[in-house]
Amino acid sequence: MHGHGFVRVATSTPKVRTADVAFNRDAVLEEARRAHERHVDLLVYPELCLSSYAIDDLHLQGAMIAAVEAAVADIVTASAGLSPVLLVGAALRRKGRLYNCALAIAGGKLLGVVPKSYLPNYREFYEKRWFAPGKNLRGLTIRVNGQDVPFGTDLVFASDRLEHFRFFVELCEDFWAATPPSSLGALAGATILCNLSASNIVIGKSDERHMLCRAQSARAAAAYVYSAAGHGESTTDLAWDGQGVIYELGDLLAESERFSLHPELCIADIDCERIVAERMRLPTFADAAEAADRPEDSFRTIAFVHDPAPGDIGLIRPVGRFPFVPDRAWKLDADCYEAFNIQVDGLMRRLESTGARCMVIGVSGGLDSTHALIVAAKCCDRLGLPRSTIRGYTMPGFGTSEGTRSNAWKLMRALGITAGEIDIRPASTRMLEDIGHPFAGGEPVYDTTFENVQAGLRTDYLFRLASQHGGFVIGTGDLSELALGWCTYGVGDQMSHYAVNSGVPKTLIQYLIRWCTTTDQFDAHTDDVLLAILDTEISPELVPAGADGEIQSTESKIGPYELNDFFLHHVMRFGQKPSKVAFLALHAWGDAARGAWPAGFPEARKNAYDLPVIASWLEKFLQRFFAFSQFKRSAIPNGPKVSTGGALSPRGDWRAPSDASAAVWLDELRSRLP
């Protein structure tokens, strides 16, 4: 895990007693030991957890102030044998003022002290009665137990072992401010933003915390770790829920149990390498740093000795098997609606702008043409056009099965489009004869030329039909096929007038078709045909079935689309190294019983893959993606981007040379696999 740029973080909600410093010190240390056993690298406690937060004027009592400082000394000493950096909340005095602070403790040392910038003094909060604000304190030191340590809001703490493990600290109200200090902390280079909070609970406040954590982690291109006070705080006038949440780049990684009577450790592995890669892809992040006078030049970096757990300690974070597929059951309908209608809207605009009299589409009975066809049908419905505006053609070749041909006809009839059939075998035979291909002489030679003759003729017919009827050709090829180069270049399925599926990977197409059947986008008869098509083996059907009836299988040649789409997302969207992609794929796909599956996913299709299988297909993916397929992508037709995962248009997310070598990626994978 550490070798791939991950850092294990946790929020802690220790069970405290109001104003009982010794009890609270022991509770803090007990949680630190539990975190050590779980190989945690960074542990974030609630605000003022040594004294407890809601003690009002007791904060100003000399005995309380002294007891807190003594407890700090005990925790610093005890930290010497523990793996996590501890972020502990305590009130400390400096030059006649008391500050609400976060203390960074690791390896037997107090690394630095961060004062709270913004003190709430409204409704139930009266912090200005006890504490001094810290928002303008920079470049200072504070004396704690006879030692001078860095003090201020300009501290970034950095591991001496893990390059991207750099964190910044703020406290509670700070991230409710219009300009959270953590924004500057991120611009100064911190990848993990931490918040020690007390934050009493009222109705709706949990949602507000989620909203702020998610927004700040996304806006600052960072992780955000939030820890709130829980059971044991005074309930004189307030209540506490002990909420701990961990976000990364807007994604929720982990959340604690709220209102627990027991101490809570909420643990997740943060991908700091991914965060840094995301910032490199965001020129706006660098521009914001320049606009803020380059905080990295003025902030102090506090290096600490870090001894991360060696070896394989697993991975504690959700890794989606289908990164392109909506995986939030409660948002499933909205996400699928959005994806489907992005395609529909793109096609509507193209139809309006061209003034075409019809849309021409080849209908094979397979997934891609099916999805393109239902997008076109919905386009007609939305524009108030008869579905007969669509001219669909099934074009059986040498490998076309009766099942897919039948499904193609059933679908066209169910949708009420203008339907036709052109048998391409005579024209294909003539072309094979003209070029002297062995198949024309009776030899069973089913090579690339044999396949491409058929694919090319189908596209050729479609273009001529579009010209004849005043229409344009709708491309059916998808994002997965573009990634792998699994399409015939030029006069073939790589080309069309408008490619509605070019931003949609195969795994999402399968899910969108299923979504259409469960949300009554079409009638029941159409739904039955769509479900039958979903159950069909993915095949180009260009090669005749074998003597045993076995048909040509796409996935047996290029690998399972569910793995290829996983590889594509992590390589295209985040530029992850191949060894890390393999590591993530193993944690996502190694055990079918572990982790979440998309809502409604068929039980029979819940597959698992071991590392040798993952590595084998990943090698093939890298070779095809980097060294083989780019020339096809450099000349693709227009088509809408659908997913935040990206698209492969040379006018959009992906620009690459057509003559690159894949050696760098293949070497990295082979050298780092166990």
Side-chain angles (χ1 to χ4, degrees), residues 258-405:
R258 297 168 58 216
F259 300 106
S260 174
L261 293 177
H262 307 289
E264 280 279 311
L265 274 183
C266 174
I267 303 175
D269 294 334
I270 289 173
D271 191 346
C272 292
E273 192 174 77
R274 174 184 177 224
I275 290 168
V276 171
E278 183 71 350
R279 290 177 177 178
M280 288 192 295
R281 284 169 170 75
L282 293 171
T284 304
F285 187 88
D287 291 345
E290 293 294 330
D293 296 326
R294 293 177 56 84
E296 63 191 75
D297 295 339
S298 59
F299 274 53
R300 291 175 285 173
T301 299
I302 311 300
F304 59 89
V305 176
H306 181 219
D307 188 22
D312 182 9
I313 59 172
L315 187 69
I316 304 175
R317 76 184 265 123
V319 182
R321 292 176 171 89
F322 299 94
F324 290 103
V325 173
D327 59 359
R328 300 170 293 177
W330 56 277
K331 278 263 305 181
L332 175 63
D333 181 72
D335 286 346
C336 287
Y337 168 85
E338 200 165 50
F340 187 65
N341 279 283
I342 287 170
Q343 295 179 267
V344 172
D345 191 75
L347 185 56
M348 286 166 56
R349 179 71 186 94
R350 183 52 55 98
L351 185 57
E352 289 175 326
S353 67
T354 60
R357 297 198 302 271
C358 68
M359 293 176 282
V360 176
I361 183 170
V363 183
S364 69
L367 283 175
D368 292 345
S369 66
T370 293
H371 188 62
L373 180 53
I374 60 177
V375 167
K378 190 62 71 172
C379 170
C380 289
D381 295 348
R382 291 274 302 277
L383 290 175
L385 297 172
R387 290 183 183 171
S388 57
T389 304
I390 305 166
R391 302 187 71 89
Y393 296 89
T394 184
M395 293 178 280
F398 297 116
T400 301
S401 67
E402 184 53 36
T404 54
R405 177 178 171 274

Side-chain angles (χ1 to χ4, degrees), residues 40 48 140 158 185 246 256 315 347 385 519 528 540 555 567 573 642:
V40 169
L48 294 170
L140 303 176
I246 302 171
S256 68
L315 187 69
L347 185 56
L385 297 172
T519 56
D528 290 341
E555 291 182 300
F567 302 153
R573 177 63 182 84
V642 173

Side-chain angles (χ1 to χ4, degrees), residues 532-668:
I533 290 170
L534 278 174
D535 288 334
T536 303
E537 169 78 23
I538 299 173
S539 171
E541 292 197 328
L542 294 169
V543 173
D548 57 359
E550 186 175 353
I551 66 168
Q552 184 183 14
S553 169
T554 297
E555 291 182 300
S556 68
K557 294 180 78 84
I558 60 174
Y561 275 114
E562 55 196 13
L563 281 185
N564 282 319
D565 285 355
F566 185 94
F567 302 153
L568 173 63
H569 177 85
H570 289 278
V571 168
M572 174 177 65
R573 177 63 182 84
F574 296 110
Q576 305 277 35
K577 290 179 284 191
S579 62
K580 184 171 184 173
V581 176
F583 175 80
L584 290 168
L586 181 61
H587 281 278
W589 289 98
D591 183 352
R594 186 177 63 198
W597 290 85
F601 194 85
E603 196 68 32
R605 294 191 179 181
K606 292 183 177 180
N607 299 317
Y609 304 97
D610 61 20
L611 185 58
V613 170
I614 289 168
S616 172
W617 288 123
L618 180 53
E619 278 204 14
K620 291 179 175 63
F621 172 86
L622 296 171
Q623 183 66 38
R624 296 187 71 97
F625 184 77
F626 287 106
F628 168 69
S629 305
Q630 183 58 39
F631 79 99
K632 299 181 181 183
R633 297 191 289 266
S634 295
I636 61 174
N638 301 161
K641 177 179 176 179
V642 173
S643 167
T644 57
L648 289 171
S649 168
R651 301 167 293 277
D653 283 350
W654 186 257
R655 294 164 177 81
S658 296
D659 49 5
S661 166
V664 167
W665 293 269
L666 294 170
D667 290 347
E668 196 280 339

Side-chain angles (χ1 to χ4, degrees), residues 10-316:
T11 67
S12 170
T13 311
K15 187 173 183 179
V16 298
R17 285 182 186 167
T18 306
D20 190 339
V21 176
F23 181 91
N24 297 343
R25 173 203 61 201
D26 294 344
V28 164
L29 288 174
E30 179 60 30
E31 288 295 277
R33 295 184 189 101
R34 282 213 301 150
H36 173 79
E37 292 169 359
R38 299 288 300 275
H39 309 300
V40 169
D41 299 303
L42 176 63
L43 182 59
V44 182
Y45 292 93
E47 180 182 15
L48 294 170
C49 58
L50 279 183
S51 59
S52 65
Y53 176 84
I55 61 173
D56 298 333
D57 288 352
L58 301 188
H59 283 300
L60 295 174
Q61 288 287 310
M64 175 63 66
I65 294 169
V68 166
E69 189 165 347
V72 170
D74 294 340
I75 293 172
V76 169
T77 299
S79 72
L82 301 176
S83 65
V85 180
L86 310 178
L87 294 182
V88 180
L92 296 178
R93 57 192 162 186
R94 183 184 186 274
K95 295 189 176 182
R97 298 181 182 88
L98 190 66
Y99 294 94
N100 181 347
C101 300
L103 285 63
I105 300 168
K109 293 182 180 179
L110 177 57
L111 305 175
V113 176
V114 179
K116 188 172 183 176
S117 291
Y118 296 96
L119 302 177
N121 222 61
Y122 53 87
R123 296 197 294 272
E124 63 264 42
F125 301 109
Y126 294 94
E127 285 193 36
K128 288 184 179 179
R129 181 180 174 100
W130 313 299
F131 304 119
K135 60 185 169 66
N136 294 320
L137 302 181
R138 301 163 69 96
L140 303 176
T141 61
I142 186 172
R143 194 162 186 81
V144 184
N145 293 311
Q147 229 181 354
D148 290 324
V149 298
F151 177 72
T153 59
D154 59 339
L155 306 181
V156 172
F157 300 89
S159 164
D160 67 342
R161 290 282 298 278
L162 300 180
E163 179 184 5
H164 303 308
F165 179 15
R166 300 168 64 89
F167 66 87
F168 177 86
V169 188
E170 60 187 4
L171 292 94
C172 200
E173 186 73 9
D174 290 348
F175 96 137
W176 264 275
T179 54
S182 58
S183 294
L184 287 178
L187 295 175
T191 52
I192 302 174
L193 310 176
C194 307
N195 190 311
L196 288 72
S197 180
S199 189
N200 63 298
I201 186 62
V202 292
I203 294 171
K205 198 169 187 180
S206 171
D207 290 341
E208 186 178 4
R209 295 175 191 145
H210 273 293
M211 180 263 295
L212 290 170
C213 291
R214 183 183 182 194
Q216 188 65 346
S217 72
R219 180 180 295 110
Y224 203 93
V225 185
Y226 178 89
S227 181
H231 189 75
E233 281 285 353
S234 171
T235 55
T236 301
D237 290 301
L238 305 171
W240 316 85
D241 64 336
Q243 185 171 23
V245 293
I246 302 171
Y247 276 86
E248 176 187 302
L249 298 175
D251 296 328
L252 178 62
L253 298 186
E255 180 177 11
S256 68
E257 177 187 345
R258 297 168 58 216
F259 300 106
S260 174
L261 293 177
H262 307 289
E264 280 279 311
L265 274 183
C266 174
I267 303 175
D269 294 334
I270 289 173
D271 191 346
C272 292
E273 192 174 77
R274 174 184 177 224
I275 290 168
V276 171
E278 183 71 350
R279 290 177 177 178
M280 288 192 295
R281 284 169 170 75
L282 293 171
T284 304
F285 187 88
D287 291 345
E290 293 294 330
D293 296 326
R294 293 177 56 84
E296 63 191 75
D297 295 339
S298 59
F299 274 53
R300 291 175 285 173
T301 299
I302 311 300
F304 59 89
V305 176
H306 181 219
D307 188 22
D312 182 9
I313 59 172
L315 187 69
I316 304 175

